Amino acid sequence: MNSRRSRRTLLATGIAILSIGSLAACAGGSDGGSGGGEGKDPKAFTVLLPNENPTLKAQLDALAENQCAAENEALPLEHQSVAQADVVQKMTLLASQGALPVHFVAGTAQVRPDGDLGASGLIVDYNEVLEPAALDNILPAAKSTVENVYGGMVSLPYQYNVEGIWYNKQIFADNGIEEPQTWDELMDASAKLQAAGITPMAQPGAAGWPLTRIMGMYIQRNVGPEAMQAIRDGDAKLTDPEYLAGAQALADMASAGYFGEGFTTMEPDASTNAFLTGTSAMKYDGSWLLSNINDEGQNTIGTENVGFMPFPAVSGGKGSIDQWAANAGTATATSAEQFGPLVSDWLTCISENYGQQALQDAGVISGFKVNGEVTDVPETTALVQDTIANIDETVLWFEALFDPKSNSLASTNVSLLVTGQMSPEDYMKDLQASIDANK
Amino acid sequence: MKSVFGDRKTIIILLGPALLLYVLLKIVPVAWSLGLSFFEGNSLRGFEFVGVDNFVKFFNDGAALQSVGVSVVFAVLATAGQVTIGYLLALLYVFVLRRGSAFVRTAVFFPMVLPTVAVALLFKSFVSVGANQGPVNDLINFFGFDSVEFLASGAGTMAVALVMTWWGSMGFYAVLLFTGLLDIPEEVIESARLDGANGLKLVRHIVIPLSLPILLSSLIFSFNSTLKVFDSLLALNGGGPGTQTAPLTLYMYRTAFEYAEYGYGSTIAVILTVLCLVFTLAIFRSSRTKVED
């Protein structure tokens, strides 16, 4: 009996030691890397990108073969991939194992100064480690957007997207509609289009964010460009009347039927198809839609019929129609531990050549300068380029400064808001409570 | 032979490798998860011991409690449907189709081999509305009613998820229960018939009591698998609208892997394990009493 009891005690002690040992091993991960970009060069330029962005991989391959062939010779480019949905999990795991790739995508919150990667000193601030010549190749507007979103220059702007309302010029002309300059004009135009049997605006509710963007932009126009920073800093609450007005405006637009039938569960591809086949007259989206617009197989209304306008002003609001929402794509960081001279050469080469390469080859507008001639730029792409060139001030999107939980809540609950299952007051109250709880 | 299997060393040699694998793959992760539930943080930020704070947080977390509700409601309804439809099909195989049931059994079992996510996408397109309207709303329109956006409400999404689950798994439970019915001695059925028990009377007084053990095993099996539902509800509507159909597994996944809160995520996993255990024991206890009766 005694012997059995002592065996059990031994077994229990063994399991306890194993568990504690495992936990202690995990806890050691907080020591992080060296930081400050003082690392040694790795054996390869490993780049981890999301599966959902094949364009970036293709453009880096093209650079490796051409403009950056010498850098590739010295430090060969190697790809790794991850599903966008698994980015946070994968990077947390790799970082804790000391196995970060050289250049990689990461979660927005992870790369911020107080984020898991930023606080551990595992990633570089490009402002500190890149040569001035390389930094000069990043467009000031893109640099400013990156710093606003991530709290530092910790991401390279492989995309530079502005957001606005794409519209069908032919449908507008047929119905005697001019580009709406105010929210009221947008609602009048929507009513006119709906009466004519055309879906005013195709918004894919299944994704969540295409709906919160409208609410966020209404708030930016109503409160001013600092609206979301004020929420982050605790100087305002989403339950304040001027913020509530944004949720109300979105709910009203939905209940009026301006998003068409079945929009709540509509997927992004379906809404893009509705716009590019002329079923709907407008679509709030980013400049990344250019790849669809420039694809003749998808666009049956013709590129000449596609217009792009800023989100309209709100009467009496402090924001301006000239302030465009902008973003610089997914966070793309570089490991501090592996940032040596050869990695620096690679990133410098990318900054010099990516802008031209991506625009010429894939029609992608990036946050890098276009150093060289680009031929046969499609009409709509040129229109967006002009727009970007003339922007003086950009604003962030609704969830840009939220913590990951509140970001997710904003997108998931918006379907309840637009179907009337949740009042604007309750939507904003829940969201504000989440923001407060996760500070 | 008896001396071989009676030898302790032989038992250890034969069972040892399997037992070791079981401990490594099942017991260690559960113990690890239990250990993590007393910590806060993740493998990068490091872990901080917080005692039972995560458990206290769970019982004060509205979203977590809502997820428990979703999981339990889904498990109860899905189990009731799966076992009932499966049992009716099994009765059909044994008493109506008899030896000619092989083809029907195969046809009904077929959805079981399809990936859950593919089935969810199929049902999503069945009930879609608008430009790419599915056949369900076409039928509703045919009878003069307006289209219904099933996935825009929690009740609608849950209804579609249940139909999808029943459709996908009824063949499996039918086959499981069919084998149970085959075990009932033919003589017992015959003598009951001679005593005047036919149709429902025969099923109620003879077939159900004699197939009770396999019925209750099916209940335990079904409840445990549906309580841990994840992929079908995620693929169907992402746990939406809002979080109205987000089960506990999805909440755990988001907490641990999207928000990188491994400690609290482990706490949710531990509570899910306890839930499964409690329900299994409850069904098992009631089954033992009934079977012994």
Side-chain angles (χ1 to χ4, degrees), chain A residues 18 22-23 26-27 29-30 86 88-89 92 95-96 116-117 122 261-262 264-265 267 404-405 408 412-413 415-416 421, chain B residues 28 32 35-36 39 42-47 124 129-130 132 147 149 151-153 241-242 244 253 257-259 261-262:
Chain A
L18 187 68
S22 309
L23 291 169
C26 291
S30 61
D86 296 336
V88 173
Q89 180 194 359
T92 304
S96 64
D116 287 345
L117 293 171
L122 293 174
E261 195 179 29
T264 320
T265 49
E267 296 291 343
K405 261 189 183 176
S408 172
T412 50
N413 273 358
S415 57
L416 298 175
Q421 296 174 71
Chain B
V28 170
W32 193 324
L36 277 179
F39 287 79
N42 61 43
S43 52
L44 177 56
R45 196 164 60 230
F47 289 95
K124 202 172 174 177
V129 62
N132 300 311
S147 298
E149 199 172 356
L151 302 182
S153 71
Q244 287 180 3
Y253 174 80
F257 301 121
E258 285 185 16
Y259 313 144
E261 290 179 14
Y262 290 0

Side-chain angles (χ1 to χ4, degrees), chain A residues 123-339:
Chain A
I123 53 173
V124 300
D125 186 319
Y126 295 111
N127 276 337
E128 292 170 11
V129 297
L130 284 184
E131 297 294 326
L135 285 170
D136 280 350
N137 282 312
I138 299 172
L139 298 173
K143 194 163 175 284
S144 155
T145 303
V146 168
E147 287 172 344
N148 274 338
V149 177
Y150 303 117
M153 192 61 205
V154 290
S155 173
L156 285 187
Y158 286 107
Q159 290 179 25
Y160 191 60
N161 307 303
V162 285
E163 296 173 13
I165 298 173
W166 296 96
Y167 65 94
N168 186 318
K169 289 181 188 172
Q170 186 64 49
I171 293 178
F172 268 35
D174 291 347
N175 290 278
I177 297 169
E178 296 285 323
E179 262 192 28
Q181 301 296 302
T182 65
W183 178 260
D184 293 337
E185 285 176 19
L186 181 69
M187 292 302 102
D188 289 345
S190 298
K192 201 181 252 187
L193 290 162
Q194 192 183 39
I198 298 160
T199 301
M201 193 178 274
Q203 287 305 101
W209 65 263
L211 296 174
T212 59
R213 289 290 210 270
I214 292 176
M215 173 171 57
M217 285 310 295
Y218 186 99
I219 291 170
Q220 308 262 18
R221 296 289 187 253
N222 198 23
V223 182
E226 306 299 324
M228 301 321 293
Q229 281 89 335
I231 296 295
R232 180 197 57 192
D233 299 340
D235 297 332
K237 298 275 182 196
L238 289 171
T239 46
D240 293 347
E242 58 273 30
Y243 288 85
L244 269 180
Q248 187 67 56
L250 176 66
D252 290 347
M253 207 174 165
S255 66
Y258 293 160
F259 297 133
E261 195 179 29
F263 78 94
T264 320
T265 49
M266 185 184 272
E267 296 291 343
D269 285 349
S271 70
T272 298
N273 183 59
F275 175 67
L276 293 178
T277 54
T279 312
S280 74
M282 292 180 279
K283 185 176 200 295
Y284 181 93
D285 217 323
S287 50
W288 55 82
L289 198 69
L290 281 171
S291 58
N292 304 85
I293 291 169
N294 293 331
D295 180 353
E296 285 178 11
Q298 293 185 55
N299 183 356
T300 62
I301 59 175
T303 49
E304 69 282 4
N305 273 327
V306 178
F308 191 49
M309 63 181 177
F311 195 88
V314 169
S315 306
K318 293 174 188 156
S320 159
I321 194 170
D322 299 325
Q323 295 152 350
W324 290 74
N327 70 70
T330 318
T332 320
T334 296
S335 163
E337 213 166 39
Q338 303 180 75
F339 188 88

